[in-house]
Structures are given as structure tokens and as C-alpha cells.
Amino acid sequence: QVQLVESGGGLVQAGGSLRLSCAASGRTFSSYAMGWFRQAPEKEREFVAAIRWSGGSAYLADSVKGRFTISRDNVKDTVYLQMNSLKPEDTAVYYCAATDAPWIVTTSSVYNYWGQGTQVTVSS
């Protein structure tokens, strides 16, 4: 079992910044990867960012490139999502996810562990 604990969500004005954190506990694997997804009301879950634990290869959705940065802390088993220049369309529930079979990291179906989600609201 892997447990994911998220923090850092909140309400921010457009153009502002937030930093989301996701701490993982439990069994880990050398092929581990973690990612961020978001889901707005009445919309499907959308890929945001992912990072491979070994090597640190990062992947970002086109909609957030240049604004968001994903990073990892191997000692703390924690992944971060630094969100800058936030827009109202970034408003969503953000979910942290993990997978031990990370040949694909940009689709939700490969992830078998999920956090509880944290609300990010960006006002105009």
C-alpha cells in the first residue's frame, strides 16, 4: 500500500502562485513515478505534470508549460508542483498520483495510487 498526502491548495488571485506538495509513504519501487492531475466540475480528469523518481525526467501538459514546475525530493519521498502565473482556468481539484509501472506517465489509467485531492481556486 502507498499513501499519498497532499497539501498547499487554496484560493489565489489570477497571476499569483501556489506550491502543492505530495508526500508518499509505504512501499516504493525503482520504477516509481508520480504525477499531478486536475479535474474541474463537469470535466474529465486532466494530466498536468509527472516525474520519474529515477532520473527525474519531467513531463508537463502544454497548458501549463512555462508556468508550472514539477520537482521531487528523494529523501522525503515528496513531489512538488510549483504553480506560477495562475489563471482562472487552472481552477480545479488537483490530485497527486503514483505508479510502479511508469512506462506511460501522462494518462491516469497507469496510476494505481491517488491522493485525496486539494482544491485550487484562482479568482479573476
Side-chain angles (χ1 to χ4, degrees):
Q1 296 287 339
V2 175
Q3 293 79 44
L4 305 176
V5 180
E6 298 163 306
S7 62
L11 174 64
V12 65
Q13 186 175 329
S17 299
L18 286 173
R19 190 186 192 188
L20 306 183
S21 300
C22 177
S25 62
R27 187 176 179 86
T28 59
F29 304 89
S30 61
S31 60
Y32 212 76
M34 296 180 67
W36 291 95
F37 293 78
R38 65 187 183 186
Q39 187 167 17
E42 307 299 328
K43 295 184 179 179
E44 293 187 356
R45 191 167 298 179
E46 175 189 18
F47 169 76
V48 178
I51 189 166
R52 296 186 183 275
W53 224 245
S54 179
S57 298
Y59 309 82
L60 293 170
D62 289 341
S63 60
V64 304
K65 285 182 179 178
R67 300 188 297 121
F68 291 11
T69 302
I70 188 170
S71 61
R72 59 179 167 87
D73 185 330
N74 288 346
V75 175
K76 297 181 178 180
D77 281 337
T78 299
V79 65
Y80 304 95
L81 185 68
Q82 178 66 47
M83 305 185 296
N84 299 325
S85 301
L86 283 162
K87 304 175 181 179
E89 51 262 45
D90 294 318
T91 296
V93 177
Y94 283 69
Y95 296 92
C96 176
T99 178
D100 55 9
W103 54 83
I104 300 173
V105 297
T106 58
T107 180
S108 62
S109 62
V110 77
Y111 293 87
N112 49 349
Y113 304 103
W114 293 85
Q116 77 284 356
T118 185
Q119 177 70 47
V120 172
T121 302
V122 184
S123 62
S124 60

